Amino acid sequence: MTHVSERSGAGSSPSGAGNDRQPWTAGSGRQARKRSVSYADAGVSIEAGDRAVELLKSKVKETRRPEVMGDLGGFAGLFRLDTTKYKNPILASSTDGVGTKLVIAQQMDIHDTVGIDLVAMVVDDLVACGAEPLFLLDYIATGEVVPDKVAEIGAGIADGCRYAGCALLGGETAEHPGVLRPDEYDISATGVGVVEESEILSSARVEVGDVVIAMRSSGLHSNGYSLVRHVLLGAGRMRLDVVIDDFGRQRTLGEELLTPTKIYAKDCLKLIAEAEVRALAHVTGGGIPGNLVRILPENVDAVVNRSTWRPQPIFDLIQSKGRIEDPEMEATFNMGVGMFAIVSAEDADRALATLTGRGVDAWQVGEIIEGTGEVQMVGQHTRG
């Protein structure tokens, strides 16, 4: 997954001769200090990075696709695109991170789930245009490379890639002492997918009379965590280890907040193959109205009926603790819906059957009507 490298022998002679040469030091007219400063003295351990890579190799191999060429450790990942499968293949790309959900992971010292969140943020943006995710490259920046911790993060990324059906082609681990605390890290990833040009999903396909289908989220996913931390952990003074009865299964607040983002890529690709899908909307920052509007042409509106589903208890907890108004909640969180599909009315039942058959909790949430390119939120969620 990740690659860490460093040149060595900075003071050696290029030809192997001149063994008496000494590394250049500031103030070369004075006698050099007996001990030169090493990269490790600055807080960077190449050996720890290499160890982390070794721990991850088996997990990365589980994501391998037939198109992947070569092994880990090269300067670039190689992927042979099978152009015979397409008339006009179009490459799609997406890049993203996990945001301040990582703060919760670091506070709880649980690091094997945020990689799934990372993959979800990337691949479900790719599939929103109809593209099959092919491969992903990751980046981990940390204050100190602790091999076991980096391996946990990477294992989550590899798991996410397996769920999405894409290869973890390569990446980088960077140690940033003095910039990040030893226990701090940030992660990001870039993914590449492919779609037949004639099958690209977009707002241009959406028509009056189409049906809007919602796919349930696993919870907060990876958006709005700055507000979550402010409301629950800051002003609310809640502890991550407190058990919340409404969550069930003796589940703590921290466990709920670290619930991995659901990955819809394979489900959406199957849906595209089985039904007439006009467009897909991945619900991330901006909530339901802010993301669904991105796939509407200017001559229609999407009507979303809140009464067709009940958001998970975590949303009620955040809203009540923070005394947050409904519009702010809906502009920040997914409110229980992670992906929307707009399908032809004739294929609505087929679409729902396809998703249900794959274990996706999906339902008809609304319709497309004549309008001006807006999202109309109507009705009220079921409470209690």
Side-chain angles (χ1 to χ4, degrees):
M1 181 202 70
T2 53
H3 174 70
V4 180
S5 64
E6 176 64 14
R7 297 179 182 176
S8 60
S12 62
S13 170
S15 64
N19 292 331
D20 293 334
R21 289 187 62 183
Q22 297 295 321
W24 181 90
T25 58
S28 56
R30 300 188 300 269
Q31 183 178 0
R33 288 178 294 179
K34 292 182 179 180
R35 182 182 182 276
S36 62
V37 177
S38 69
Y39 210 179
D41 292 327
V44 178
S45 173
I46 301 300
E47 292 76 13
D50 291 342
R51 174 61 179 157
V53 173
E54 286 299 319
L55 291 173
L56 278 166
K57 280 188 175 180
S58 62
K59 294 290 293 186
V60 176
K61 286 182 179 178
E62 294 176 5
T63 74
R64 191 177 179 93
R65 291 175 49 127
E67 302 97 327
V68 175
M69 301 171 63
D71 295 318
L72 290 175
F75 287 98
L78 301 177
F79 190 95
R80 180 186 289 108
L81 180 63
D82 183 4
T83 57
T84 63
K85 294 170 56 177
Y86 308 91
K87 293 182 179 179
N88 294 295
I90 301 298
L91 294 179
S93 65
S94 176
T95 190
D96 211 337
V98 178
T100 60
K101 186 173 186 175
L102 294 178
V103 175
I104 308 297
Q106 290 160 23
Q107 290 176 338
M108 295 189 66
D109 196 24
I110 296 175
H111 313 285
D112 60 351
T113 60
V114 289
I116 299 173
D117 295 296
L118 178 63
V119 176
M121 291 297 100
V122 174
V123 299
D124 285 340
D125 277 356
L126 290 175
V127 81
C129 69
E132 175 192 359
L134 297 176
F135 59 83
L136 182 136
L137 300 166
D138 67 30
Y139 179 79
I140 302 173
T142 181
E144 178 183 355
V145 171
V146 178
D148 288 342
K149 181 188 290 187
V150 173
E152 287 183 49
I153 299 169
I157 297 173
D159 285 341
C161 286
R162 286 194 298 106
Y163 302 154
C166 66
L168 185 49
L169 196 58
E172 180 73 10
T173 296
E175 198 165 26
H176 291 170
V179 178
L180 298 172
R181 294 194 311 267
D183 61 336
E184 280 186 315
Y185 61 85
D186 196 8
I187 58 178
S188 64
T190 297
V192 173
V194 63
V195 59
E196 182 68 58
E197 184 173 13
S198 62
E199 297 174 6
I200 295 175
L201 303 181
S202 72
S203 60
R205 292 172 173 253
V206 178
E207 301 176 358
V208 172
D210 287 344
V211 168
V212 183
I213 290 176
M215 302 178 216
R216 184 171 292 277
S217 69
S218 57
L220 289 170
H221 284 186
S222 296
N223 303 103
Y225 273 78
S226 293
L227 180 56
V228 169
R229 291 186 300 110
H230 173 72
V231 167
L232 300 185
L233 307 182
R237 298 184 179 181
M238 297 185 69
R239 291 175 37 162
L240 292 172
D241 60 357
V242 65
V243 174
I244 307 295
D245 291 337
D246 287 346
F247 294 164
R249 303 186 307 279
Q250 291 294 301
R251 191 169 174 84
T252 67
L253 174 62
E255 290 169 338
E256 178 66 29
L257 295 181
L258 284 186
T259 301
T261 304
K262 181 170 177 58
I263 295 176
Y264 302 94
K266 284 187 176 181
D267 303 315
C268 288
L269 290 174
K270 183 65 174 178
L271 179 63
I272 292 168
E274 296 292 332
E276 183 63 33
V277 178
R278 313 287 201 195
L280 293 168
H282 184 201
V283 184
T284 54
I288 290 173
N291 287 281
L292 191 52
V293 73
R294 297 164 67 179
I295 57 170
L296 298 179
E298 294 181 355
N299 64 323
V300 305
D301 283 358
V303 179
V304 175
N305 191 339
R306 300 184 187 92
S307 69
T308 61
W309 86 96
R310 178 185 176 187
Q312 292 91 333
I314 184 62
F315 298 103
D316 289 334
L317 178 65
I318 294 167
Q319 185 164 21
S320 61
K321 282 286 185 180
R323 299 188 295 273
I324 304 172
E325 298 292 335
D326 287 343
E328 182 68 19
M329 288 292 296
E330 292 183 338
T332 306
F333 303 107
N334 65 59
M335 299 304 293
V337 178
M339 182 76 78
F340 284 103
I342 298 180
V343 304
S344 67
E346 295 79 9
D347 274 9
D349 289 342
R350 180 191 294 273
L352 288 170
T354 298
L355 292 170
T356 300
R358 294 185 59 83
V360 179
D361 186 359
W363 65 96
Q364 181 172 332
V365 73
E367 61 181 338
I368 301 299
I369 64 172
E370 292 184 2
T372 57
E374 299 180 356
V375 177
Q376 299 182 26
M377 304 291 293
V378 301
Q380 297 297 323
H381 293 301
T382 304
R383 304 288 184 179

